[in-house]
Amino acid sequence: MPAVQETIDQVRQIDVDQYKYGFETTIEMDKAPKGLSEDIIRLISSKKNEPEWMLEWRLQAYSRWQTMEEPSWARVRYPKIDFNDLHYYAAPKSTSGPKSLDEVDPELLRVYEKLGIPLKEQEILAGVEKSRIAVDAVFDSVSVVTTFKEELKKAGVIFMSISEAMREHPDLVRKYLGTVVPQSDNFYATLNSAVFTDGSFVYVPKGVRCPMELSTYFRINEKNTGQFERTLIIADEGAYVSYLEGCTAPQRDENQLHAAVVELIALDDAEIKYSTVQNWYPGDKQGKGGIYNFVTKRGDCRGKNSKISWTQVETGSAITWKYPSCILRGDGSRGEFYSIAVSNGHQQIDSGTKMIHLGKNTSSRIISKGIAAGVSENTYRGQVSAHRKAENARNFTQCDSLLIGDRCGAHTVPYIEAKNSTAQFEHEATTSKISEDQLFYCLQRGIPEEAAIALIVNGFVKEVIQELPMEFAVEAQKLIGISLEGSVG
Amino acid sequence: MLEIKNLHARIAEDGTEIIRGLNLTVKAGEVAAIMGPNGSGKSTLSYILSGREDYEVTEGDILYNGESILELDASERAAKGIFLAFQYPVEIPGVATMQFLKVAMNEQRKYRGEDELTTPEFMRRVKEAAAELKIAPEMLRRPLNVGFSGGEKKRAEILQMALLEPKLCVLDETDSGLDIDALKIVADGVNALRSPDRAVVVITHYQRLLNYIVPDTVHVLYKGQVIKSGDKTLAHELEANGYAEIIEAAA
Ligand SMILES: Nc1ncnc2c1ncn2[C@@H]1O[C@H](COP(=O)(O)OP(=O)(O)OP(=O)(O)O)[C@@H](O)[C@H]1O
Ligand SMILES: [Mg+2]
């Protein structure tokens, strides 16, 4: 029908070329030569003044990785990655561990400013910015600055780059690193274990409610650089923390690899809320360039009555391969996964979650909203399983897909496995199109097509948007608009 | 205000002609009633007027304030003041009625080069108009038309009309599904909008509505044509005798 055809055309036209954050910054970089070898790993480790055990750990992962094969079960297609054609370390030259914002390269601060990231504590404190969020900014491979450190310290919260934590809190890092996502977990996680360069570390001590949102902004800037961050968050007994992750990268013709690992650990009665707004460069109209996002995110509800909640808004990347999961080990623990995945142009998304019920009376909830436009492919892949001992495990899963145009695809692949007969798993799935009637109704009220689609789509994802912290909710709604642009205002 | 001249239109998909040489003129300040048997093309006419792309105009023209609107898309026509109260209002899940109203009002203002409404001003207008139509504030927080009863949907249409302040209002069977009290409230809402620079086209099957919204002209639509026009007495005639005589006379 004509109206829909027009929408499709518009989506096609604008799609990803309008990537808002696609500027490149020229900053002097300190880069390792291309390629991966033990020597490169030693170089990374020594650049970061790491303890000996860390180097051992990396080398072990590397030798393991050499025996592994790239997984091929996901519904994504891409040319083979030449892992020797990448730089595994790149750091802005002038920022070998700034003590305060004054020491950060002003050019870098300008980059973050352009991205709208509140790095300047003074401004925030002076009330220029309404929200108070502590930020750890990761530029290419290195964490350049962490804000609000002092205030967090007073509360006993440790929030710093993971390389710093390795030096300042080696016992904590050693105790928890790799305990949720083991070194040998999967191809990308193992690669990450060998070569990760930085990321954030959070420890919230017993009974402490983290006084502000913690946030990391990742930016890939250098050409041919793989970005391998490692994030480790621990909420000790009765602690609470909310963590936000945002990402951008410049527009480039070549694909860039991003393979992060995030580990969350919640002890007794602790709660971790992890929110992501992923906006990596998706590639151009022809599907050239864009980020390959192969990420392993997993949370361990290790303690009783602990809770881990993942909320993600995925709008960017050429390829997304990502399954934030929860291991519900502690009795009475709860896992949640709220997801919005928007694909347009030639983007391919294969994302979902795993809820692994091990403890008694554990519960989980999955709400997934996939929106596909252009010639994109959007797959939800989810696994819910109950162990033999997981008495009274409960899961509710709802997967809704919305198609814009008729050249895109949405797929739902649920795996359900209950080894305990008391488990109660519910699964609901719907696929719909924005109807001609809805579109015409909006147009008739004077709402142009782009704005109408934005409105309808935002209605469709509302349940998930509500789970995001305020600041992110607004940003996410705008982002969904931008990524469907041409169809969205 | 509205001049439809020898309009021929068909369904874009399969080419079926629905409107077959229709002529109709509605002046500013006038209330025109359109009546006619089921399937005669009344709703189709309202869609074509408001720019639905499922239909193709093959001949004739539609002039609005003297200018052809055939080249304008639906949202432009709306912003220029053409409003259609739907026979079957559409559900928009997840979008609060309030939010929808705000987007619609501001998009129209943007098109006309006016500033966006401030939130307090918007709220004031919505509250006032909702109270007139006896619409509970809770309803405005619910997703538009989702789970609304038939009568609530129709009232929500009139609420939108009141807030958007269109110049040409087309009401497609707004009376169907309304109880007697609601009918009166809705009619009062429409009458409140009557003004010398505004025209209202009321599509209905029943005299009942026309007792409250008294029309200046009545037109009978049959097989995509206006086969008879008259004043309000024509509606009484139809109520008493049905369409058979008129159809025969036209044949
Ligand atoms: N998109 C369409 N596809 C197929 N047939 C259509 C379409 N639109 C209208 N028609 C047909 O055109 C004719 C006129 O329909 P329309 O809805 O305009 O009638 P109406 O006068 O409003 O009737 P009612 O009084 O029942 O509301 C009907 O036969 C209808 O089935
Ligand atoms: Mg009709």
Side-chain angles (χ1 to χ4, degrees), chain A residues 13 37 45 49-50 89 91 116 118 121 128 143-144 146 184 274 325 340 414:
Chain A
Q13 252 172 38
S37 64
S45 192
N49 293 319
E50 284 177 358
Y89 183 80
E121 293 177 44
V128 177
S143 163
V144 290
T146 309
S184 57
Y274 193 106
S325 305
I340 297 170

Side-chain angles (χ1 to χ4, degrees), chain B residues 11 14 18 36-45 55 87 173 205:
Chain B
I11 299 166
D14 61 14
I18 309 280
N38 295 130
S40 56
K42 302 182 297 295
S43 294
T44 304
L45 175 64
Y55 303 97
Q87 182 173 2
E173 295 196 28
H205 287 292

Side-chain angles (χ1 to χ4, degrees), chain A residues 5 22 85 168 176 184 236 288-289 323 328 345 349 359 372 395 439 467 470:
Chain A
Q5 189 52 47
D85 195 35
E168 290 184 26
Y176 291 106
S184 57
D236 212 324
K288 208 165 178 235
Y323 316 89
L328 304 168
I349 296 184
N395 166 267
L439 214 48
E467 294 298 324
M470 262 300 259

